[in-house]
């Protein structure tokens, strides 16, 4: 056989380089979405215009508040409205509201975290039935049980005190808080529980060393949710308190309607001052709040 008739070796093709990222994801990240951008801009305007109008009106003098364009910046801004509010007992209302919010958050965390842990880790029908029964509280409005609550608080001698506001608020914040924490705890890997069990860890040790550190997102969500319930609550302070001693911000703002019935700038100044603390809490924990809410629909 001659050398020319020998078969030539076939040249192997080099594999084509694979894209490092997903083409679909790269396509969507580079593609502009004007509809979504326009919708976001409209939503931003809807949110910011009332806030701007409220801030602008709170800096307006009383004799100029009902004249002119409400969206026009004040020609002669003043802080007298804020001074009027601060000198009318606003500090006392703010202190009572802060105490109620901290107490509600503490009660909810102390009770809801262990309850969610038991609901996730206990594998029997009784725990599941108890969990579903507990969540029925989501469907029960506070207005439906306000009369029995009033009689119960009066029997306990708590009427016209801060605990009369704190205890019902914490109770009605519990169902949603347990639901949020349950969704967060179900995302914790089973292997982590088994590894700690092999090390001889008790259930209490698992709760403090495994569950709580890995559930910071859900816990932050519960903190903000329960604090908002206490900060914005109006029904329980209105029904269960009477004197000025345990009065909170929402009831104080309600009374400002008559006290500052004509002084609109002072009323709006009190609204601005009452919203600053809870808005600051939201700014600090907003990332944890979003991650915790995403865990509600977990496994």
């Amino acid at each position: 056989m001659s050398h020319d008739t020998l078969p030539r070796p076939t040249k192997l093709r080099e594999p084509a380089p694979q894209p490092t990222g997903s083409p679909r994801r790269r396509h969507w990240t580079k593609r502009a979405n004007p509809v979504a951008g326009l919708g976001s801009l409209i939503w931003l305007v809807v949110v910011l215009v009332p806030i701007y109008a409220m801030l602008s009106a709170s800096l307006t003098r009383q004799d100029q508040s009902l004249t002119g364009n409400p969206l026009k910046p004040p020609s002669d801004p003043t802080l007298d409205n804020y001074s009027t509010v601060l000198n009318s007992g606003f500090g006392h209302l703010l202190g009572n509201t802060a105490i109620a919010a901290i107490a509600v958050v503490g009660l909810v965390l102390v009770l809801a975290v262990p309850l969610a842990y038991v609901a996730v880790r206990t594998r029997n029908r009784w725990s599941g039935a108890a969990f579903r029964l507990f969540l029925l509280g989501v469907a029960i409005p506070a207005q439906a049980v306000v009369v029995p609550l009033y009689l119960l608080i009066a029997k306990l001698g708590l009427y016209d005190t801060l605990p009369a506001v704190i205890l019902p608020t914490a109770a009605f914040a519990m169902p949603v808080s347990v639901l949020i924490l349950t969704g967060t705890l179900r995302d914790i890997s089973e292997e982590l529980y088994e590894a700690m069990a092999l090390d001889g860890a008790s259930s209490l040790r698992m709760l403090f060393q495994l569950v709580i550190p890995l559930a910071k997102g859900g816990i932050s969500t519960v903190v903000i949710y329960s604090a908002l319930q206490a900060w914005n609550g109006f029904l329980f302070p209105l029904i269960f308190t009477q004197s000025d001693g345990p009065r909170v911000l929402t009831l104080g703002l309600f009374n400002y309607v008559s006290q500052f019935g004509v002084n609109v700038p002072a009323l709006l100044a009190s609204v601005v001052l009452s919203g600053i603390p809870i808005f600051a809490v939201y700014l600090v924990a907003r990332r944890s709040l979003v991650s915790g809410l995403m865990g509600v629909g977990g496994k």
Side-chain angles (χ1 to χ4, degrees):
M1 182 181 297
S2 64
H3 179 71
D4 296 335
T5 59
L6 291 176
R8 296 181 180 180
T10 58
K11 187 177 180 180
L12 298 177
R13 290 185 178 179
E14 295 182 0
Q18 297 294 329
T20 56
S22 172
R24 179 182 294 270
R25 180 172 298 178
R26 186 188 308 171
H27 174 73
W28 282 108
T29 53
K30 290 185 177 181
R31 182 180 177 182
N33 193 339
V35 177
L38 179 61
S40 301
L41 181 61
I42 293 174
W43 178 250
L44 184 63
V45 171
V46 170
V47 172
L48 291 182
V49 166
I51 297 177
Y52 163 76
M54 180 177 62
L55 290 174
S56 177
S58 67
L59 298 173
T60 305
R61 297 188 181 277
Q62 182 179 358
D63 55 354
Q64 301 174 355
S65 60
L66 300 179
T67 61
N69 187 354
L71 296 180
K72 184 180 179 181
S75 58
D76 186 18
T78 178
L79 295 176
D80 292 343
N81 302 313
Y82 291 92
S83 177
T84 301
V85 172
L86 293 175
N87 293 330
S88 62
F90 184 84
H92 174 71
L93 300 175
L94 182 65
N96 283 346
T97 307
I99 292 173
I102 293 172
V104 168
V105 169
L107 283 173
V108 170
L109 289 181
V110 168
L111 297 175
V113 174
L115 280 172
Y117 175 66
V118 171
V120 171
R121 295 299 299 162
T122 305
R123 310 289 185 179
N124 57 60
R125 61 180 182 177
W126 298 110
S127 64
F131 175 69
R132 289 189 291 270
L133 181 63
F134 186 83
L135 290 184
L136 285 178
V138 178
I140 300 176
Q143 294 85 351
V145 295
V146 68
V147 174
L149 279 176
Y150 175 83
L151 296 176
L152 179 62
I153 287 174
K155 288 289 184 180
L156 293 175
L158 298 177
Y159 181 75
D160 202 23
T161 62
L162 269 181
V165 178
I166 294 170
L167 294 177
T169 305
F172 277 89
M174 282 289 295
V176 175
S177 301
V178 172
L179 179 62
I180 294 172
L181 289 172
T182 302
T184 302
L185 298 189
R186 283 175 179 165
D187 290 334
I188 300 177
S189 175
E190 186 70 24
E191 287 76 11
L192 296 177
Y193 289 110
E194 294 175 357
M196 290 200 70
L198 291 176
D199 287 340
S202 62
S203 298
L204 191 62
R205 181 182 167 191
M206 288 185 188
L207 176 63
F208 284 98
Q209 295 186 1
L210 175 64
V211 172
I212 293 179
L214 294 181
K216 289 182 179 179
I219 291 175
S220 300
T221 305
V222 168
V223 167
I224 296 178
Y225 169 76
S226 54
L228 282 172
Q229 297 300 304
W231 200 272
N232 297 328
F234 177 73
L235 179 64
F236 295 145
L238 178 65
I239 301 298
F240 301 146
T241 62
Q242 184 178 7
S243 63
D244 294 336
R247 185 166 294 173
V248 294
L249 273 174
T250 50
L251 198 58
L253 292 176
F254 176 72
N255 292 332
Y256 282 163
V257 174
S258 57
Q259 182 179 356
F260 300 131
V262 182
N263 194 350
V264 177
L267 177 61
L268 294 179
S270 63
V271 174
V272 172
L273 290 174
S274 64
I276 289 176
I278 199 67
F279 182 68
V281 172
Y282 168 75
L283 288 180
V284 172
R286 64 186 184 279
R287 294 185 182 274
S288 299
L289 173 65
V290 173
S291 62
L293 289 176
M294 290 175 63
V296 175
K299 296 179 275 185

